[in-house]
Each structure stands twice: as structure tokens, then as C-alpha cells.
């Protein structure tokens, strides 16, 4: 598992960490990140310099300015940035240095036993504090690993070329400590064509991930077996209601039973290689990017999944709309982490304009992998790595000559 809070499936984690450290800086324990030069830790340097500076200053100043007791600061600083053994070493060095420097002065000017006890106790307490800090960091890292494992189970890895589609995805969680959110995506090939689902569950935490898992499970079955895309949409709406009913029966009320999800369901009809079917559940409309420019598909009139019963009468699934899609065009689907990314002045990220400029400069940017990389870099640059919500970019296009 890469120690970066981003997934692009192409080894982009290291580049993301180097270019946007704010977005990834807490993905590994803090003690492994501070004061590193060319991958090597130099966290021992500040406490060592401070120890030497205090000793030299005490030796080279007059008797009326004794600062050797300041050595008690050294293990405290080491406890904040070094490991357990490093802090223990500095605690011992502080005691030894104190005794050595203080012994250079005549008896009348020595700081004596009280300050020696102060330095010794300071070293012991600093070492204990470092033990608590390191164990807490290791616990957080284990939680991150568990959360990432859960998410990889929900968002199953996809082959690079799957179901006659070329695709690429990047997921950037806003909560870099837990790395768990409600964004989801998947591709499901089947006898009735390949289907794609991208969406975002309202809220954060394990509850939203739980609903995302329920929706993806239903999509994988219905997307394969159901002939009509409308039926797949109905199955997704029903699954949200059943999930919320199950949560209510477990006694987990409140937000858990009020969750909903926005989503876009795509169908690539095998009998029409130049078209794509779209069902929108209150989600941002897909953006079509190709060598000839950008166009945003019209927003659908469907309500988010779980809110279909708010319409008058029986709940009806959103309409399936068919749009032309050229062989060199990619569909870009994003969650609201992209559209709601703001800069320091509160200006939202101009997604369509950014993609348009990139395509004008290089039409090859329409390739899915390059397209999601462009949006990822643009969002992180625009927001300076401060993401207000989980952010997913998913791009897909047909493979030339592929039968779906």
C-alpha cells in the first residue's frame, strides 16, 4: 500500500506526495516525516545542536549567567521529533553533559544537585511522553491501514482495460487520518453491455462507506443481469431504502437513516458504439472531453438515490437519455469535492474551463489517464491541498473496436 492519500493506479502516489505534500503529509507517522533530507531523518540534529549550544554558552559566560540548567529543554525537544530510543539517548546525554559542564566551575558557582535532579527528571518524563506519542502514532497508522483495506475491498481494483473500456480514477479523501468516505465507482461488463456507476453518499465516515458498499454490490449484480438500464436504476433506489430500513431496525437512527446518494449510471449499448446512455440521480452531469473540445451533458431531472419517494405518486426512476459519444471522446465524472474546491479567495475550481484550456494546448489530454491527472493536479493546486470533501475523478472511454 502506498503511503499516500491518493490512488491513481499508475504509480502517481509518489509524484503527488512530492508536489502536494499538504495533501499527503499525514499518511505516514509524523515522526517519519519531520526533518528529512533526501529520505534520511535528521530529527536528531536540533536537540544535538541545542545541547552543544547550551554547554558552550555556559562554559564561555560569566559565573553570574549560568544556563546549564536549560539542558532540560533538550530531551523535551527530542520527545517531540525523535523516536523513543533517540529521546532516551538525549535524556542520558543531557544528564552527562550537565554533570560535566557544572563540574568545571568552582563549588561556589555550581548549580548543584537540585538542578541535576531537574535535568534527570526532565529526561525521564520526556522519554515517557515520547513513548505515549509514538504508540499513538502507530495506533493511528494501524487505523489508516485498516480503513484503506476496507476501502480497497469496497472499491475493488479494476483491470486497466475492462469491459471494452479504457478508464482511470483518482480518489483523494478529505479526512486523511481515517481515509474513509462515501465516494464510489465501478465498471460492470455484462451480456447487455458495460455499465458504469459513479456516485457520492451523503455524509462521511463508516456509515457512508457502508451504504456505498451496498450500492456497489447491487450495481454489480443488476448491471450484469438486467437488460434495461432503467431496471438497474430501480434496483439501486430500492437498495438504498432497504439499507436504511435495516439500519433503522438496528437502532442506528438519526443521520444513518436519512442518508442518500447522488450518482450517475452509464450504459454503453453494444448495438450503438457511437452513443452512451446516462441516468442521473441528482449528480453533477458528466463532462465529455475530446480533441475537438469540451461539452457538458445536460443535467438530469432525477432525485438522489433514496429520495425518489419525495415525488408525487409512485416513485419513478429517472429517464434514460442517450447521447452521442465519439471514439476519441472521454467521459469525465467527478464528485462534489472537485466542483466545491475553493482557493484562498473562495473561488470554486473552474473544471470545464481548465479542461478546455488543456485540450486546446494538447488534444491528447483527452486520454482518461491524462485527464484525471490534469483534474487532480488542478484541484490540488487551486485549493492548495486543502480539500473540503472527498474528491473522486473518474474518466472512461470506449476502446477502439471493442465489443461491449
Amino acid at each position: 500500500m502506498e503511503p499516500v492519500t491518493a490512488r491513481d493506479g499508475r504509480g502517481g502516489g509518489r509524484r503527488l506526495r512530492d508536489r502536494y505534500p499538504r495533501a499527503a503529509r499525514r499518511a505516514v507517522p509524523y515522526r517519519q516525516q519531520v526533518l528529512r533530507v533526501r529520505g534520511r531523518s535528521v530529527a536528531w540534529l536540533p536537540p544535538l545542536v541545542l545541547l552543544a549550544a547550551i554547554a558552550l554558552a555556559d562554559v564561555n559566560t560569566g559565573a553570574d549567567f549560568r544556563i546549564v540548567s536549560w539542558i532540560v529543554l533538550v530531551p523535551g525537544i527530542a520527545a517531540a521529533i525523535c523516536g523513543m530510543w533517540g529521546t532516551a539517548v538525549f535524556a542520558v546525554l543531557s544528564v552527562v553533559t550537565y554533570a560535566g559542564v557544572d563540574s568545571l566551575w568552582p563549588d561556589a558557582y555550581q548549580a548543584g544537585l537540585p538542578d541535576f535532579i531537574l535535568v534527570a527528571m526532565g529526561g525521564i518524563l520526556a522519554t515517557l511522553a515520547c513513548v505515549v506519542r509514538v504508540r499513538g502514532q502507530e495506533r493511528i497508522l494501524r487505523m489508516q491501514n485498516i480503513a484503506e483495506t476496507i476501502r480497497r475491498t469496497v472499491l475493488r481494483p479494476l483491470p486497466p482495460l475492462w469491459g471494452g473500456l479504457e478508464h482511470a480514477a483518482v480518489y483523494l479523501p478529505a479526512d486523511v487520518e481515517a481515509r474513509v468516505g462515501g465516494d464510489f465507482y465501478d465498471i460492470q461488463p455484462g451480456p447487455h453491455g458495460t455499465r458504469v456507476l459513479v456516485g457520492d453518499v451523503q455524509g462521511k465516515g463508516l456509515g457512508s462507506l457502508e451504504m456505498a458498499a451496498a450500492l456497489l454490490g447491487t450495481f454489480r449484480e443488476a448491471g450484469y443481469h438486467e437488460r434495461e438500464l432503467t431496471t438497474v436504476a430501480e434496483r439501486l433506489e430500492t437498495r438504498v431504502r432497504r439499507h436504511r430500513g435495516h439500519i433503522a431496525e438496528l437502532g442506528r437512527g438519526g443521520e444513518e437513516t436519512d442518508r442518500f446518494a447522488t450518482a450517475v449510471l452509464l450504459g454503453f449499448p453494444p448495438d450503438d458504439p457511437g452513443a452512451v446512455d446516462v441516468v442521473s440521480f441528482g449528480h453533477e452531469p458528466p463532462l465529455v472531453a475530446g480533441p475537438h473540445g469540451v461539452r457538458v451533458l445536460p443535467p438530469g431531472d432525477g432525485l438522489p438515490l433514496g429520495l425518489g419517494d419525495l415525488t408525487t405518486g409512485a416513485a419513478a426512476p429517472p429517464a434514460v437519455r442517450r447521447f452521442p459519444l465519439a471514439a476519441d471522446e472521454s467521459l469525465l465524472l467527478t464528485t462534489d469535492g472537485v466542483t466545491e474546491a475553493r482557493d484562498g479567495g473562495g473561488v470554486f475550481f473552474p473544471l470545464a474551463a481548465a479542461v478546455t484550456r488543456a485540450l486546446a494546448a494538447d488534444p491528447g489530454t483527452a486520454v482518461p489517464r491524462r485527464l484525471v491527472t490534469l483534474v487532480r493536479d488542478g484541484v490540488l493546486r487551486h485549493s492548495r491541498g486543502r480539500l473540503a470533501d472527498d474528491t473522486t475523478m473518474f474518466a472512461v472511454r470506449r476502446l477502439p473496436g471493442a465489443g461491449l
Side-chain angles (χ1 to χ4, degrees), residues 348-362:
F348 292 106
F349 175 65
L351 174 62
V355 176
T356 299
R357 287 194 301 269
L359 289 174
D362 182 7

Side-chain angles (χ1 to χ4, degrees), residues 21 35-36 40 56 102 119 209 211 226 306 323 338 349 358 363:
L35 301 177
R36 299 184 69 85
R40 297 179 178 272
L56 290 174
D102 198 43
V119 173
L209 184 62
M211 178 175 283
E226 301 296 343
F323 298 97
V338 174
F349 175 65

Side-chain angles (χ1 to χ4, degrees), residues 20 22-23 342-344 378-387:
Y20 305 101
R22 185 186 300 275
R342 304 187 186 210
D343 61 11
V379 168
L380 290 174
R381 189 184 308 112
H382 186 80
S383 64
R384 298 182 180 180
R386 299 183 178 92
L387 301 176

